[in-house]
């Protein structure tokens, strides 16, 4: 989608990996240098304002946590609570079973304040995600943190756990499994409680962040198409896979070239809408949020958000 259907919202830095939108329409995102910025509603020309800063790591997933807070996933810092009024940053979950998180990635917040969040890998950092995808460490995990309670493990053995979103009735939670190109569902209630199953498979690329849609669907960021070389390496002998350790972290940007997309899944896991973006000023759609007929899209590398009209 290009032309009148897409506009860019410039930012004072690169890497707005995910997007959250407050009740008043304010758009929040995190930049690669650690700043959390806000774009005021109905003021497209107003400069973004800095509301907080994450020290020592970069923000990945951002999610509203009540009216005045954000849950920010910041890899080794874990899941953080950011007060958007005062700028204070406090830890929500930084470890499990005595082991600090390495790759806290994305979250979803339930109506009762319970936070569900992913850890992509216990072996490689997010910056070296290509290594983890090739070696298929399957050490990704999905956690739950109830208000005032301890962190609980919901699911493990995920092949690079990524985006998280709740079903509309909050009886199940979805997690993107980047390496396999699918979305998994974990049942939280009912006869299948605790069961882990494939919700969507055969996506057009590698899934990243997830976001609940206003109509009950689930948006899936698809930063890049499946890469034949990456797929071949995943099935190569272990000694061959070990060579990938020498690849510099920025090699991941190779997957960011060309068209990027977001797809919308219905309640049965089928793709019901696909939005493709090929815009010179925007690469690698990694997160998105639907609001009032527009899709606000984040990027791991670009210095702007992309805003796409969803009107027919």
């Amino acid at each position: 989608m290009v032309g009148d259907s897409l506009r860019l919202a410039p930012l004072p830095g690169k890497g707005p990996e995910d997007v959250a939108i407050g009740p008043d329409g304010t758009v929040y995102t995190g930049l690669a240098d650690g700043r959390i910025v806000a774009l005021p509603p109905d003021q497209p020309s107003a400069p973004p304002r800095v509301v907080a800063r994450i020290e020592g790591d970069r923000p990945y997933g951002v999610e509203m946590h009540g009216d005045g807070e954000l849950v920010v996933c910041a890899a080794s810092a874990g899941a953080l609570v950011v007060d958007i009024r005062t700028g204070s940053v406090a830890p929500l979950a930084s470890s499990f079973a005595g082991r600090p998180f390495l790759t806290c990635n994305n979250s979803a917040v339930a109506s009762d304040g319970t936070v569900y969040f992913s850890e992509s890998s216990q072996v490689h950092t997010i910056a070296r995600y290509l290594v983890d995808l090739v070696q298929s460490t399957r050490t990704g995990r999905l956690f739950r943190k109830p208000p005032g309670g301890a962190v609980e493990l919901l699911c493990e053995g995920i092949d690079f756990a990524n985006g998280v979103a709740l079903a509309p009735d909050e009886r199940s939670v979805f997690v993107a499994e980047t390496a396999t190109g699918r979305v998994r569902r974990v049942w939280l209630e009912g006869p299948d409680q605790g069961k882990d199953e494939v919700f969507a498979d055969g996506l057009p690329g590698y899934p990243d962040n997830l976001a609940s849609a206003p109509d009950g669907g689930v948006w899936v960021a698809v930063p890049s198409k499946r890469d034949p070389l990456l797929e071949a390496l995943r099935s190569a002998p272990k000694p061959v896979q070990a060579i990938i350790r020498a690849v510099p972290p920025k090699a991941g940007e190779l997957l960011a070239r060309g068209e990027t997309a977001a797809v919308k899944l219905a309640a049965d896991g089928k793709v019901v809408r696909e939005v493709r973006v090929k815009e010179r000023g925007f690469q690698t759609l990694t997160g998105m949020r639907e609001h009032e007929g527009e899709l606000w899209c984040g990027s791991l590398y670009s210095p702007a958000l992309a805003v796409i009209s969803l009107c027919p």
Side-chain angles (χ1 to χ4, degrees), residues 20-34:
I21 301 181
D24 65 350
T26 300
V27 177
Y28 300 94
T29 190
L31 303 178
D33 63 7

Side-chain angles (χ1 to χ4, degrees), residues 25-250:
T26 300
V27 177
Y28 300 94
T29 190
L31 303 178
D33 63 7
R35 286 176 294 169
I36 307 294
V37 298
L39 287 73
D42 305 319
Q43 299 181 48
S45 60
R49 59 184 176 88
V50 178
V51 298
R53 182 183 292 272
I54 308 300
E55 300 292 346
D57 215 324
R58 69 166 292 168
Y60 287 96
V62 294
E63 191 81 13
M64 295 304 303
H65 186 253
D67 291 343
E69 294 179 334
L70 293 170
V71 172
V72 177
C73 291
S76 60
L80 307 169
V81 175
V82 173
D83 190 315
I84 55 182
R85 296 157 297 195
T86 67
S88 67
V89 179
L92 177 72
S94 58
S95 64
F96 179 74
R99 182 175 180 177
F101 294 126
L102 177 66
T103 55
C104 187
N105 196 322
N106 196 242
S107 71
V109 181
S111 56
D112 68 353
T114 297
V115 177
Y116 297 85
F117 63 96
S118 62
E119 182 185 29
S120 297
S121 171
Q122 299 173 63
V123 179
H124 300 291
T125 64
I126 293 179
R128 298 194 64 81
Y129 74 94
L130 272 181
V131 181
D132 203 88
L133 266 57
V134 168
Q135 296 182 347
S136 191
T137 69
R138 297 184 181 274
T139 56
R141 300 185 289 184
L142 178 67
F143 295 94
R144 170 171 59 194
K145 173 68 167 63
V151 176
E152 305 168 12
L153 177 64
L154 289 180
C155 184
E156 57 186 337
I158 304 172
D159 207 343
F160 203 87
N162 210 318
V164 181
L166 281 160
D169 59 7
E170 300 188 357
R171 291 168 58 88
S172 62
V173 60
F174 306 107
V175 57
E177 188 173 51
T178 299
T180 62
R182 62 189 185 184
V183 175
R184 294 165 68 167
R185 184 212 302 259
V186 178
W187 287 97
L188 305 172
E189 299 179 12
D192 294 323
Q193 183 176 357
K195 181 181 178 182
D196 163 33
E197 64 185 21
V198 175
F199 175 66
D201 203 352
L203 295 173
Y206 302 106
D208 202 305
N209 289 335
L210 306 181
S212 299
D215 64 0
V218 177
W219 282 103
V220 183
V222 185
S224 61
K225 298 178 181 178
R226 287 183 180 267
D227 183 83
L229 177 58
L230 177 56
E231 296 301 315
L233 285 170
R234 280 174 55 80
S235 60
K238 294 298 182 182
V240 176
Q241 291 181 355
I243 298 173
I244 197 72
R245 285 183 178 272
V247 174
K250 285 194 174 182

